[in-house]
Amino acid sequence: MRQYHWSGLIDDRGDISWKLSDLDGSCKVGHSVSSFTAHYCAPEVASAARGGTVSSLKADTSMDVFSAGLTILQLFKGVVGGVVDLGLPSDEALRVLATPAEIEPLVADHLSSLSHMPQLQSALADMLQTQPARRRSAHDLL
């Protein structure tokens, strides 16, 4: 059974917009990763999935930081197909994310167009580090 969360957002004009979030893949930090979205997962999740060891991977907040970075970059760039092409089959998206030589230039290319927003560009660069230990924490970012 999928878990969905509805939230209402009120903007500065008083208009309400509704958002639907899929929380089916959520889990607590330190618990085994049970599911994920291939096109938005962190490189370590992609590597584990490709190696068949994702169930032994423990959830960490740095995984969420990477996924949020991809989502924010997509929103600011207006990339319709996703930073990792949403048209790719899941196994191909996992391969791209698990391979630093592929994902790092792709991210760098998208980040280069945000030079007019240097603080955002820097924050996203920190969020999208392929090595979890090099990513800034959510606490630092907020």
Side-chain angles (χ1 to χ4, degrees), residues 43-44 66 97 99-100 103-104 128-132 134-135:
E44 60 273 24
F66 187 90
L97 283 162
T99 309
I103 191 61
E104 288 172 356
L128 295 170
Q129 292 291 318
T130 56
Q131 297 298 317
R134 296 185 63 199
R135 284 182 213 135

Side-chain angles (χ1 to χ4, degrees), residues 15-111:
D15 293 333
I16 297 175
S17 65
W18 293 96
K19 308 293 180 193
L20 176 66
S21 302
D22 180 357
L23 302 177
D24 192 45
S26 65
C27 63
K28 292 183 179 184
V29 171
H31 290 153
S32 296
V33 174
S34 57
S35 64
F36 55 91
T37 303
H39 292 77
Y40 292 94
C41 69
E44 60 273 24
V45 176
S47 292
R50 294 187 76 223
T53 60
V54 75
S55 62
S56 64
L57 188 64
K58 301 298 181 199
D60 186 85
T61 56
S62 69
M63 296 170 183
D64 292 334
V65 168
F66 187 90
S67 297
L70 282 180
T71 303
I72 293 166
L73 181 57
Q74 181 177 349
L75 291 171
F76 272 89
K77 283 275 301 173
V79 181
V80 175
V83 174
V84 176
D85 185 355
L86 294 175
L88 290 176
S90 292
D91 59 335
E92 184 66 12
L94 291 173
R95 186 190 62 72
V96 169
L97 283 162
T99 309
E102 290 205 34
I103 191 61
E104 288 172 356
L106 187 60
V107 167
D109 181 53
H110 285 292
L111 286 175

